[in-house]
Amino acid sequence: MRKPLVAGNWKMNNPIESSKILLENILHQAELLESMLAKDGKASALDIAIFPPSVYLKETQEILTGSSLHWGTQNVSAYDEGAYTGEISASMLQGFGCDYVLIGHSERRCIYETLELDQFVLDKIVAQKYEMATSHGLTPIICIGETEEDYAKGKTEEVIARLLDVLIESKGSKALAQTVFAYEPVWAIGTGKSATPEWAQDVHSFMRERIAKHDATTAESLRIIYGGSVNANNAAAIFSKPDVDGGLIGGASLDVDKFIQICFAAALKPNKI
Ligand code: PEP
């Protein structure tokens, strides 16, 4: 059975004091949600993970240790150690109790894109980070999705297949069982213009089928979450689709009420396999 995952990407927002308050509030509300679900016989109905700015990891660890919430970072280095100014390695993240790491978020990719690197080279960097994360026991949430231009040209599947093939080539299809994918159409991130539930379902199902060609068991068991302008109003409809296993939430994760409503929608998701 695939357990839904709701991940909150805080990006580079809020000073430390208000971040601590937000985290404490999320924890409190998530615990209330959990006990409500447990009364309904739905204990452990979902996983929740928070991605604060890395400089808040110590405080995040202090607040969340011993709870059922998970945490991680918004990026990781492709290298283990060395002269990589400003980078943070996977082994350093282990020291802060991280379970997850976001890899290949489009807001990171566009930093490289300004260097005019080929998209295939960017996929290789994502694969290197993926290898680094998994070899240090972190679960990567690999972001994947087409730009507005690719979307308009009907290239969604091509863009997605390219990265999936690079990842499968790097560690084989079995390793993907320890991976979460976040389908994030770039045109939907932070724009208020979410993909329709039907579009998200079609792309997630395409991804599963592509992986199933190599390994049907892994394809069926791995989680594919959707990201791009998910909010408290559209979450239930998006999560109701059979291949959508939760969401990667940006803007709405900075508001405790909205974020918990989204978590609630994921916990009530029908058709969990
Ligand atoms: C994101 O940052 O991954 C994201 C999906 O942002 P938003 O929910 O604000 O579109």
Side-chain angles (χ1 to χ4, degrees):
M1 189 172 97
R2 299 194 299 265
K3 192 177 184 183
L5 166 68
V6 177
N9 174 15
W10 286 2
K11 311 194 186 194
M12 197 178 70
N13 286 298
N14 289 334
I16 181 64
E17 283 313 322
S18 52
S19 293
K20 280 165 66 177
I21 293 169
L22 175 60
L23 196 56
E24 278 157 2
N25 287 338
I26 288 176
L27 175 58
H28 178 64
Q29 294 292 333
E31 284 176 344
L32 288 178
L33 176 63
E34 255 172 37
S35 59
M36 196 183 90
L37 292 166
K39 273 192 208 136
D40 267 5
K42 295 192 180 94
S44 307
L46 85 157
D47 285 331
I48 300 175
I50 305 294
F51 295 83
S54 302
V55 286
Y56 301 164
L57 275 182
K58 183 168 171 284
E59 290 79 3
T60 302
Q61 186 178 25
E62 279 165 9
I63 294 170
L64 296 186
T65 295
S67 78
S68 65
L69 269 62
H70 303 271
W71 63 94
T73 52
Q74 301 167 17
N75 188 26
V76 68
S77 171
Y79 303 98
D80 216 6
E81 62 177 352
Y84 302 104
T85 302
E87 294 284 313
I88 304 175
S89 73
S91 58
M92 291 170 182
L93 300 185
Q94 279 181 309
F96 287 91
C98 295
D99 294 318
Y100 291 91
V101 64
L102 297 181
I103 296 181
H105 192 283
S106 63
E107 289 159 14
R108 301 284 328 162
R109 283 181 80 112
C110 71
I111 293 168
Y112 289 111
E113 273 157 19
T114 56
L115 301 175
E116 296 187 357
L117 284 184
D118 182 72
Q119 292 300 321
F120 183 66
V121 175
L122 292 185
D123 288 346
K124 289 272 191 197
I125 295 172
V126 168
Q128 250 175 288
K129 293 184 176 200
Y130 157 70
E131 289 198 46
M132 203 48 78
T134 48
S135 63
H136 286 87
L138 298 167
T139 299
I141 300 183
I142 301 183
C143 303
I144 187 165
E146 77 284 8
T147 61
E148 184 137 43
E149 195 187 335
D150 290 332
Y151 177 71
K153 287 184 181 158
K155 287 183 160 184
T156 303
E157 292 187 353
E158 186 188 316
V159 167
I160 284 172
R162 194 188 58 217
L163 177 56
L164 288 180
D165 292 351
V166 168
L167 295 171
I168 290 170
E169 201 181 296
S170 86
K171 284 201 83 169
S173 52
K174 283 258 173 305
L176 291 180
Q178 313 305 328
T179 301
V180 176
F181 282 102
Y183 168 53
E184 296 217 301
V186 181
W187 47 269
I189 298 177
T191 59
K193 200 171 73 179
S194 170
T196 62
E198 292 71 27
W199 176 266
Q201 167 58 27
D202 284 353
V203 177
H204 287 217
S205 148
F206 168 77
M207 290 171 67
R208 237 181 260 293
E209 278 166 23
R210 183 105 190 167
I211 297 164
K213 283 187 188 146
H214 300 265
D215 184 337
T217 311
T218 298
E220 203 45 45
S221 64
L222 66 79
R223 291 185 287 189
I224 307 177
I225 62 178
Y226 168 80
S229 296
V230 176
N231 59 46
N233 298 322
N234 62 17
I238 296 172
F239 299 163
S240 72
K241 295 297 177 190
D243 285 301
V244 180
D245 305 313
L248 177 53
I249 319 298
S253 71
L254 296 167
D255 179 308
V256 63
D257 292 334
K258 289 180 188 161
F259 186 63
I260 292 297
Q261 283 179 55
I262 293 168
C263 292
F264 186 53
L268 297 186
K269 176 180 163 52
N271 308 326
K272 271 189 279 175
I273 296 169

